[in-house]
Amino acid sequence: MAEKHFKYVILGGGVAAGYAAREFVKLGLKAGELAIISKEAVAPYERPALSKGYLFPEGAARLPGFHVCVGSGGERLLPEWYKEKGIELILSTEIVKVDLASKILISAAKTTFTYEILLIATGSTVIRLSDFGVQGADAKYIFYLRDLDDADHLVEAIKVKEGGKAVIVGGGYIGLELGAAMRINDYDVTMVYPEPWCMPRLFTAGLAAFYEGYYATKGIKIVKGTVAAGFDTDANEDVCSVRLKDGRVLDADIVIVGVGGRPLTALFKGQVEEERGGIKTDGFFRTSVPGVYAIGDVATFPLKLYNEMRRVEHVDHARKSAEQAVKHIKETEGGEAVEEYDYLPYFYSRAFDLSWQFYGDNVGETVLFGDNNPESPKPKFGTYWIKDGKVVGAFLEGGTPEENKALAKIARIQPPVESTDLLIKDGIGFACKF
Ligand code: FDA
Ligand code: NAD
């Protein structure tokens, strides 16, 4: 059995891994000290591209164009970069067994890796309809989207079933971004989700009404309040229709499912403390096991601003948590002291020519401001969330970079609200005053 030892091992080769590697190099790394072990066949890349530019019918994004850290305006880390820095990129390698107490990782090909410090960066996987026993959910041309392979299969299918019918199951991030992508690819698109409006995790009814209206102007049909109960296939065993729980049947050449993510923590079960479905960490991303850190989607960390433990499945946190953990590792080796993580939640999405940003917390009462008519040539609107008389969250569609900065600022400083009428009247102008 082959055996390899590294001072630092990052388990997972996604967004957090790439940003952690850059931080290690920035703070001082010797050749041969760091390895990244990844199931994927490619160096870390900016995962958000997969549901956006990667699916464009023309001028699509392709690697090496979107390796980390281009998504945050940084240097693009090509495979050669890792080589130059003496970082071992161990790709197409799945770790199947972990012993945190003995500091051992074992791959599917039976290679043993030992380490002094481990960063767990395994991210999330998709929730599958077959997990709920939905009949026929393994049929061909039913897709999920998590990694490059998934995206490549989808791109291929889009060509094969050119101009066909697409059914999108789920009304969250994947649902909304993929619904748009399939329409841009000239598919006849129907979206199905159980809730009364899309993206209920974040959107208010007022925000959702705009996006649903806008999608309707693009010709997308939306079926709400029901779920996919089963799938039928044709003679080739390709999916051909989606049976809904309410009895309706939708024809489909391609089905894309986005019904949520699940953090990949199974390998560590019983070996490390967990909370809220993730691996529990402190504000430096240390887990309950000495020498083991957890970053990105898998970490449940103290969100200082709201004084509670949270897990965040978004790219901004993946990047920042990675940098924070590495800074802390370097502090323990005599480097500069680092402050506890003080994260301001930041989510965004882009679809068609729309683009929104959200900062803060979506709790409390809400006010909707601006022009949210889906037929407007340039819709621009937003929402503030108000709790205990203070603005705690802010959302803006179609903002300028300066306005988006102002959103972040008020979500952080949480200014008091004298009158909600004034907030509605001032709109984004309110945020820009601070
Ligand atoms: P990430 O999933 O990036 O990486 C985990 C890595 O670990 C993968 O390479 C995986 O293969 C590997 N791995 C897992 N288990 C392993 C094992 N046992 N052995 C070896 N390797 C293993 N967020 C946002 O804010 N804005 C956006 O627009 C988008 N868009 C978006 C689109 C799509 C299609 C997805 C799937 C996700 C997004 N996100 C997003 C979410 C964002 O991409 C996500 O939060 C980060 O990628 C999380 O980074 P991590 O490094 O934690 O996991
Ligand atoms: P999500 O949690 O955003 O949305 C899941 C949606 O699934 C729910 O809103 C609901 O409408 C729907 N749903 C649940 N059960 C269903 C069922 N049985 N039938 C039909 N619909 C059902 O998750 P997602 O959209 O799958 O995204 C997966 C992961 O990727 C998440 O971690 C997300 O944060 C990430 N992601 C983020 C972005 C972004 O930040 N812009 C973009 C894409 C993906």
Side-chain angles (χ1 to χ4, degrees), residues 47-48 51-52 124-127 129 132 134 144-146 168-178 192-195 197-201 226-229 257-262 297 311-315 346-350 356:
R47 201 165 300 283
S51 53
K52 306 174 187 69
S124 301
T125 186
V126 296
I127 295 176
L129 291 178
F132 317 127
V134 175
Y144 295 83
L145 183 59
R146 184 71 212 177
I168 313 288
V169 180
Y173 285 97
I174 291 284
L176 285 167
E177 292 181 9
L178 270 288
V192 184
Y193 41 88
E195 297 93 350
W197 64 78
C198 63
M199 194 82 82
R201 226 166 17 127
T226 189
V227 293
V257 184
V259 296
R262 190 160 37 80
D297 280 10
R311 206 171 58 73
V312 172
E313 289 181 3
H314 291 275
V315 75
Y346 164 49
F347 315 141
Y348 69 89
S349 184
R350 292 191 297 274
W356 60 257

Side-chain angles (χ1 to χ4, degrees), residues 11-17 37-40 47-48 50-52 93-95 121-124 145-146 174 177 264 267 295-297 313-315 318 348:
L11 172 46
V15 174
I37 306 175
S38 178
K39 218 160 42 175
E40 292 190 77
R47 201 165 300 283
L50 298 182
S51 53
K52 306 174 187 69
T93 301
E94 184 177 8
I95 294 299
T122 42
S124 301
L145 183 59
R146 184 71 212 177
I174 291 284
E177 292 181 9
L264 280 171
L267 279 173
I295 54 180
D297 280 10
E313 289 181 3
H314 291 275
V315 75
Y348 69 89

Side-chain angles (χ1 to χ4, degrees), residues 1 27 35 51 112 114 159-160 187 189 198-199 212 214 223 258 277 283 302 330 354 425:
M1 203 155 81
L27 299 182
S51 53
T112 297
T114 57
K159 285 187 213 140
V160 174
Y187 271 71
V189 176
C198 63
M199 194 82 82
E212 290 175 353
Y214 188 91
V223 180
K330 286 293 168 186
L354 303 172
K425 191 168 148 275

Side-chain angles (χ1 to χ4, degrees), residues 105-425:
L105 312 175
I106 300 172
S107 74
K110 303 251 182 300
T111 302
T112 297
F113 299 94
T114 57
Y115 57 83
E116 288 161 46
I117 292 177
L118 175 69
L119 289 98
I120 301 174
T122 42
S124 301
T125 186
V126 296
I127 295 176
R128 295 184 169 266
L129 291 178
S130 47
D131 298 344
F132 317 127
V134 175
Q135 193 228 337
D138 290 326
K140 287 191 274 177
Y141 291 94
I142 299 181
F143 296 95
Y144 295 83
L145 183 59
R146 184 71 212 177
D147 61 21
L148 199 69
D149 278 353
D150 297 335
D152 284 337
H153 290 136
L154 179 58
V155 166
E156 199 45 46
I158 289 172
K159 285 187 213 140
V160 174
K161 303 279 181 176
E162 196 185 341
K165 289 188 159 68
V167 173
I168 313 288
V169 180
Y173 285 97
I174 291 284
L176 285 167
E177 292 181 9
L178 270 288
M182 293 307 281
R183 190 69 202 107
I184 292 166
N185 277 284
D186 223 14
Y187 271 71
D188 176 339
V189 176
T190 305
M191 295 178 58
V192 184
Y193 41 88
E195 297 93 350
W197 64 78
C198 63
M199 194 82 82
R201 226 166 17 127
L202 176 63
F203 288 179
T204 61
L207 290 175
F210 167 82
Y211 292 97
E212 290 175 353
Y214 188 91
Y215 275 45
T217 67
K218 296 285 182 187
I220 294 178
K221 287 154 271 183
I222 295 181
V223 180
K224 298 191 264 189
T226 189
V227 293
F231 298 93
D232 297 314
T233 51
D234 62 15
N236 297 321
E237 293 180 14
D238 295 355
V239 71
C240 63
S241 61
V242 185
R243 275 179 281 114
L244 303 182
K245 200 172 172 191
D246 69 4
R248 276 182 277 185
V249 177
L250 305 171
D251 291 340
D253 299 297
I254 289 182
V255 173
I256 300 167
V257 184
V259 296
R262 190 160 37 80
L264 280 171
T265 58
L267 279 173
F268 319 100
K269 277 266 169 300
Q271 304 187 50
V272 66
E273 242 179 87
E274 293 191 43
E275 193 169 332
R276 290 185 157 212
I279 298 173
K280 186 181 176 188
T281 76
D282 64 7
F284 305 99
F285 295 97
R286 283 181 295 196
T287 69
S288 59
V289 179
V292 178
Y293 291 73
I295 54 180
D297 280 10
V298 291
T300 301
F301 61 95
L303 214 162
K304 202 170 157 186
L305 190 57
Y306 310 129
N307 196 24
E308 64 176 63
M309 296 296 285
R310 291 257 182 109
R311 206 171 58 73
V312 172
E313 289 181 3
H314 291 275
V315 75
D316 179 61
H317 160 70
R319 294 167 180 155
K320 290 179 174 154
S321 59
E323 290 167 357
Q324 173 77 353
V326 175
K327 282 193 178 102
H328 186 264
I329 291 167
K330 286 293 168 186
E331 179 188 334
T332 62
E333 295 173 358
E336 216 177 287
V338 53
E339 301 264 301
E340 208 183 333
Y341 197 55
D342 186 8
Y343 188 62
L344 174 70
Y346 164 49
F347 315 141
Y348 69 89
S349 184
R350 292 191 297 274
F352 294 118
D353 45 6
L354 303 172
S355 172
W356 60 257
Q357 301 206 357
F358 166 82
Y359 288 89
D361 212 8
N362 58 320
V363 294
E365 62 169 306
T366 58
V367 297
L368 180 66
F369 60 84
D371 172 13
N372 67 335
N373 179 352
E375 315 253 353
S376 286
K378 247 198 155 338
K380 184 167 181 173
F381 60 93
T383 283
Y384 294 116
W385 279 259
I386 303 148
K387 194 181 159 208
D388 301 332
K390 293 184 289 188
V391 173
V392 293
F395 176 105
L396 186 63
E397 167 61 50
T400 63
E402 293 71 38
E403 289 165 341
N404 289 330
K405 252 194 207 154
L407 282 194
K409 190 163 182 197
I410 56 160
R412 168 68 73 182
I413 63 175
Q414 303 184 343
V417 175
E418 277 143 38
S419 120
T420 49
D421 288 346
L422 212 61
L423 264 192
I424 296 167
K425 191 168 148 275

Side-chain angles (χ1 to χ4, degrees), residues 4-46:
K4 288 186 175 182
H5 178 80
F6 298 93
K7 182 172 184 188
Y8 313 111
V9 168
I10 304 173
L11 172 46
V15 174
Y19 280 77
R22 183 178 68 167
E23 194 65 20
F24 268 119
V25 168
K26 201 166 138 195
L27 299 182
L29 184 75
K30 293 196 192 88
E33 282 186 331
L34 172 64
I36 295 177
I37 306 175
S38 178
K39 218 160 42 175
E40 292 190 77
V42 293
Y45 57 87
E46 301 284 3

